[in-house]
């Protein structure tokens, strides 16, 4: 068995949950079958049963309107993926960026197509401000790929429901295979040597956010919730890679307003490396995930594996990861309208986030119990070895 994996993210160029998923999934798949990874970048790795090649944009996009460049650059790389000979038994795509490559591979080489849905474009309407008409192109290629795929992998039951509600897909073709976690890599790490350069005092309790600056992650709602937090602890925002200049400016204004009323708001405006993020997770008193759309929420699993209690919004696949009252607290989220991913009551949602954080900050015993239960849940239920075995089983069935 040989699988062709198409992805826009692969180490060292990983900035989101899909890239984390592909990194660990391919590592475990390569213990079981041959794996050919084609990705965006300059990677060139040859290991036992694992070949990784990065592809550059194959067309001149110098005259292309700025908002259309990300989409057309992705399509250009996708054609380059398919132009290299393919001898795999199955092609497996991750994110819409690679779907055109998967479509061409299925049709031109006659192999089954598998699509993992890390998120869904119809449920991310804010992407139009980033991509303009390119958003319509991403909607088209995602719908085409999902509806012609031989199998669709949903990373949560909530995501499976979203796939069936938004696409014309036979339910029998949509399988749930969760995201995973490497609990040897993500573990309670009491080291603090990497935190000093960000001005973080590890002896002071702090609430932590880790993620990209995007509408989806709800980061601005958390920053606005800071004014409702009890005194006596710090806030650390490890938040980089803004989607657009507009949301970057919104984030800057929100952080400035928060700092005006509260000391010890630390903003790490970069994507930090794994050792640093592990120390952040492990030393945080509470981790907060304020997402307004989250098919799975791998950041919650990373925090849990590091033994940290979680406060998260009750959206998408998060309730399948964070068990309310046991590994963390879930904050109700009601959308402003069907299909919208802005809260109907932003102030109420922000107060809910603050209330959950304040509750855990004031209760060391509950925090400790949740941290221990979260670590055990990560170990027991979300191993990458199990996820790879389920994925190979799916490949063989096709």
């Amino acid at each position: 068995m040989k699988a062709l994996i198409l992805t826009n993210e692969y180490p060292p160029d990983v900035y989101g949950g899909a890239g984390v998923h592909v990194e660990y999934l391919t590592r475990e798949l390569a213990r079981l079958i041959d794996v050919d990874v084609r990705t965006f970048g300059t990677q060139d790795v040859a290991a036992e049963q694992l070949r990784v090649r990065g592809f550059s944009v194959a067309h001149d996009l110098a005259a292309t309107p700025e908002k259309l460049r990300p989409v057309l650059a992705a399509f250009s790389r996708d054609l380059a993926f398919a132009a290299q000979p393919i001898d795999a038994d199955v092609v497996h795509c991750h994110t819409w960026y690679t779907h055109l490559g998967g479509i061409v591979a299925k049709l031109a080489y006659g192999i089954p197509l598998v699509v993992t849905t890390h998120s869904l474009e119809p449920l991310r309407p804010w992407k139009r401000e980033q991509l303009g008409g390119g958003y319509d192109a991403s909607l088209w290629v995602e719908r085409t790929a999902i509806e012609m795929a031989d199998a669709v992998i949903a990373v949560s039951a909530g995501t499976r429901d979203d796939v069936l509600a938004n696409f014309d897909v036979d339910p029998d073709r949509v399988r749930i295979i969760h995201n995973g976690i490497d609990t040897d890599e993500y573990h309670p790490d009491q080291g603090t040597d990497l935190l000093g350069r960000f001005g973080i005092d590890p002896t002071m309790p702090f609430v932590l956010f880790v993620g990209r600056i995007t509408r989806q992650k709800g980061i601005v709602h958390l920053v606005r919730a800071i004014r409702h937090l009890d005194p006596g602890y710090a806030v650390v925002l490890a938040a980089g890679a803004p989607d657009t200049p507009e949301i970057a400016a919104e984030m800057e204004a929100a952080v400035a307003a928060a700092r005006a009323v509260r000391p010890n708001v630390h903003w790490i405006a970069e994507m930090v490396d794994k050792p640093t993020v592990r120390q952040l997770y492990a030393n945080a008193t509470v981790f907060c995930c304020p997402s307004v759309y989250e098919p799975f929420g791998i950041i919650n699993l990373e925090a849990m594996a590091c033994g940290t209690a979680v406060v998260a919004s009750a959206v998408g696949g998060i309730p399948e990861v964070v068990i309310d009252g046991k590994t963390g607290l879930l904050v109700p989220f009601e959308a402003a309208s069907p299909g919208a991913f802005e809260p109907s009551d932003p102030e109420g949602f922000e107060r809910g986030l603050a209330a959950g954080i304040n509750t855990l900050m004031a209760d060391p015993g509950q925090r400790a119990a949740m941290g221990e239960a979260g670590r055990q849940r990560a170990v027991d239920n979300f191993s990458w070895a199990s996820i790879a075995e389920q994925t190979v089983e799916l490949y063989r069935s096709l």
Side-chain angles (χ1 to χ4, degrees):
M1 172 69 66
K2 183 175 186 178
L4 171 62
I5 308 293
L6 304 184
T7 176
N8 67 316
E9 296 179 54
Y10 196 87
D13 303 322
V14 171
Y15 61 86
V20 173
H21 178 109
V22 172
E23 175 182 359
Y24 289 96
L25 176 64
T26 54
R27 183 190 70 183
E28 295 301 322
L29 285 176
R31 303 183 197 277
L32 305 172
I33 62 172
D34 290 319
V35 180
D36 178 0
V37 178
R38 302 184 187 185
T39 185
F40 294 8
T42 59
Q43 297 88 337
D44 188 1
V45 177
E48 187 174 358
Q49 295 199 148
L50 177 64
R51 181 74 173 96
V52 182
R53 285 174 287 178
F55 286 72
S56 301
V57 175
H59 296 79
D60 182 0
L61 302 181
T64 303
E66 184 176 356
K67 286 189 174 183
L68 298 183
R69 284 179 192 166
V71 178
L72 297 184
F75 289 175
S76 176
R77 285 180 161 116
D78 288 346
L79 293 176
F81 288 164
Q84 288 295 313
I86 294 172
D87 61 355
D89 301 291
V90 60
V91 57
H92 186 173
C93 292
H94 296 266
T95 74
W96 71 263
Y97 290 94
T98 67
H99 286 170
L100 183 61
I103 290 167
V104 175
K106 172 181 169 62
L107 296 175
Y109 291 90
I111 58 177
L113 169 62
V114 177
V115 172
T116 291
T117 52
H118 299 277
S119 61
L120 297 172
E121 289 301 279
L123 304 184
R124 303 200 296 171
W126 55 84
K127 297 293 286 185
R128 188 177 298 281
E129 68 182 73
Q130 178 184 359
L131 301 175
Y135 176 60
D136 295 301
S138 72
L139 287 167
W140 164 77
V141 76
E142 180 182 71
R143 178 172 301 279
T144 303
I146 288 176
E147 293 185 352
M148 72 185 293
D150 297 275
V152 178
I153 295 174
V155 295
S156 65
T159 303
R160 183 178 189 273
D161 291 341
D162 288 339
V163 169
L164 296 177
N166 287 275
F167 300 91
D168 183 13
V169 180
D170 181 348
D172 290 340
R173 289 195 287 116
V174 187
R175 292 272 299 275
I176 300 169
I177 302 180
H178 286 123
N179 269 316
I181 187 74
D182 183 334
T183 53
D184 291 327
E185 183 168 351
Y186 288 92
H187 59 85
D189 178 354
Q190 298 311 311
T192 61
D193 56 298
L194 301 176
L195 305 185
R197 75 182 182 94
F198 303 111
I200 299 169
D201 179 358
T203 66
M204 173 176 279
F206 66 90
V207 59
L208 172 69
F209 169 89
V210 173
R212 291 177 291 118
I213 301 172
T214 174
R215 303 285 178 204
Q216 176 176 337
K217 301 300 179 183
I219 174 63
V220 174
H221 292 296
L222 174 59
V223 176
R224 290 173 181 159
I226 289 173
R227 67 186 185 277
H228 303 303
L229 298 180
D230 292 340
Y233 58 89
V235 179
V236 177
L237 308 168
D243 273 353
T244 64
E246 291 80 9
I247 195 171
E250 194 174 335
M251 176 72 173
E252 289 168 4
V255 170
R259 284 172 168 164
V261 299
R262 186 186 188 91
N264 294 318
V265 176
H266 303 275
W267 180 13
I268 303 171
E270 61 185 79
M271 304 302 285
V272 297
D273 60 21
K274 286 180 188 176
T276 301
V277 81
R278 185 173 60 237
Q279 284 194 9
L280 286 169
Y281 281 134
N283 285 280
T285 315
V286 173
F287 177 75
C288 183
C289 173
S291 295
V292 299
Y293 170 55
E294 197 65 75
F296 182 82
I298 200 167
I299 52 175
N300 296 303
L301 197 52
E302 291 173 350
M304 287 162 52
C306 291
T308 301
V310 173
V311 173
S313 47
V315 298
I318 290 177
E320 297 170 53
V321 179
V322 179
I323 306 302
D324 190 31
K326 184 174 181 181
T327 68
L329 298 177
L330 294 178
V331 178
F333 177 87
E334 181 179 346
S337 61
F341 290 91
E342 279 298 310
S344 58
D345 178 8
E347 173 75 11
F349 176 56
E350 291 155 11
R351 285 184 178 275
L353 292 170
I357 294 166
N358 288 334
T359 295
L360 292 187
M361 281 291 186
D363 193 337
Q366 187 178 26
R367 287 199 314 269
M370 286 179 169
E372 184 176 340
R375 167 72 184 173
Q376 195 61 49
R377 178 166 171 74
V379 170
D380 291 345
N381 295 281
F382 296 99
S383 79
W384 279 114
S386 172
I387 289 160
E389 289 170 1
Q390 295 174 60
T391 303
V392 170
E393 178 187 345
L394 175 59
Y395 293 163
R396 295 193 189 283
S397 75
L398 301 176

